[in-house]
Amino acid sequence: MTSAAAPAAISDFYCHQAIPGLADIDVVTETDRVLAFHHTKPSHPVHIVVVPKVHIPSLVDLGDNADLLHEVMEVVREVAGKVRAEHGAASITTNEGLYQESKHMHWHVYHRGETQREILAMYGHHDG
């Protein structure tokens, strides 16, 4: 008789390491329910991750946690404002479904490293 394969264990870096303080992270800001820290494997010169401290699989799976989403977005806004003030621009992303490597709702706030001249050459300055 063969047994069914056990489901793969889900690794959640945020719940299992970052939030409980088991990983060496550089905290940017923190509230009772939200943590923002410099990405441990950054893809950009400035790369900050913002996560709720409770497990929510994704934005689509938010359930009845709209108040928590509001608090997460306040932290995203604060962090993005600091990045923009220091570097002139900030990008904000989250992923969903197969694009979402970590199945814990999280937001990336980053500056890709272009100079102001490069940004203006690419995007213009239509809002100024």
Side-chain angles (χ1 to χ4, degrees):
M1 186 179 249
T2 61
S3 63
I10 296 174
S11 175
D12 181 343
F13 173 78
Y14 306 121
C15 279
H16 299 147
Q17 295 180 41
I19 294 165
L22 300 176
D24 184 23
I25 59 172
D26 181 8
V27 174
V28 174
T29 192
E30 185 173 7
T31 70
D32 289 341
R33 302 193 316 160
V34 182
L35 175 64
F37 61 95
H38 288 276
H39 201 294
T40 58
K41 296 179 182 174
S43 301
H44 308 283
V46 177
H47 191 164
I48 299 163
V49 181
V50 180
V51 299
K53 290 183 177 180
V54 297
H55 184 75
I56 296 174
S58 74
L59 180 61
V60 172
D61 302 310
L62 187 63
D64 295 330
N65 292 295
D67 63 323
L68 180 56
L69 177 62
H70 177 69
E71 190 171 334
V72 168
M73 295 312 298
E74 284 296 317
V75 172
V76 167
R77 184 174 73 102
E78 174 190 332
V79 170
K82 289 177 182 178
V83 171
R84 184 181 72 184
E86 186 172 339
H87 301 282
S91 292
I92 303 163
T93 62
T94 192
N95 292 316
E96 184 53 54
L98 294 176
Y99 294 127
Q100 185 180 1
E101 183 179 338
S102 177
K103 304 303 184 201
H104 184 115
M105 184 176 75
H106 62 283
W107 303 80
H108 298 268
V109 180
Y110 54 95
H111 173 64
R112 297 183 307 228
E114 305 103 316
T115 65
Q116 182 175 340
R117 175 176 281 170
E118 290 168 327
I119 293 169
L120 292 175
M122 175 73 72
Y123 301 105
H125 47 88
H126 303 288
D127 38 316

